[in-house]
Amino acid sequence: MFTQIMLEFMLIGLIGGLLGIFYRNCLKVENMIFYPIYRNILIPMAFGRNKFLAWIAYPLGYCCYCSTFWITMLLLILFLTSWESLPKWQDIVIGIIAAEGVAHLIVCISCRFLIYKHPDLDKDYLKHLHE
């Protein structure tokens, strides 16, 4: 039973990670549907003088990791509210950690190996900046 629950939580993490990458690409890639929100709202919020608005910009999409965390958390809430009888709270906590860990791995691997010149994780891009 525990193994099945953990696999379900990790599957939610996989879905959350993939949705986070999808959201990132729709938000940060020029000519995509949400790019105007990124360019006109999130960037000014992240670099503005208001620290609270800067803090809010990150989970709204300025930071891929932050937005993916909250996407995965919302999926987990949907998943857990669909249960008639919840598992033990300890299993829920371990499952949430597993789901968020899988989502983080999906984003990390995607940003490092699939997204060309990602400013956070592409070592060639970083090397080019220091030359």
Side-chain angles (χ1 to χ4, degrees):
M1 182 71 171
F2 178 79
T3 305
Q4 179 183 348
I5 292 172
M6 288 306 118
L7 288 174
E8 291 174 6
F9 273 101
M10 288 190 285
L11 183 60
I12 298 294
L14 175 68
I15 294 167
L18 293 173
L19 272 174
I21 293 298
F22 174 74
Y23 178 62
R24 180 243 180 241
N25 288 340
C26 289
L27 192 69
K28 293 187 177 185
V29 175
E30 207 168 338
N31 298 322
M32 291 298 278
I33 189 167
F34 296 133
Y35 182 73
I37 294 170
Y38 177 73
R39 184 188 65 232
N40 299 326
I41 298 172
L42 293 177
I43 290 176
M45 279 175 65
F47 292 103
R49 292 181 186 255
N50 187 325
K51 297 287 185 188
F52 179 72
L53 288 179
W55 181 69
I56 293 295
Y58 280 75
L60 290 178
Y62 184 74
C63 172
C64 185
Y65 291 99
C66 297
S67 58
T68 299
F69 173 86
W70 289 109
I71 289 168
T72 305
M73 191 57 70
L74 289 172
L75 290 174
L76 288 168
I77 291 168
L78 287 172
F79 174 66
L80 289 171
T81 56
S82 71
W83 287 57
E84 288 185 27
S85 176
L86 288 173
K88 296 184 293 188
W89 71 267
Q90 296 94 335
D91 293 344
I92 292 173
V93 170
I94 293 169
I96 289 172
I97 292 168
E100 293 292 353
V102 169
H104 171 77
L105 283 173
I106 295 299
V107 172
C108 185
I109 290 168
S110 298
C111 290
R112 174 64 182 93
F113 296 108
L114 300 178
I115 299 172
Y116 181 66
K117 293 196 177 191
H118 189 280
D120 295 331
L121 296 172
D122 191 328
K123 65 181 178 183
D124 295 329
Y125 179 75
L126 294 174
K127 186 187 308 178
H128 172 70
L129 291 177
H130 296 296
E131 290 177 350

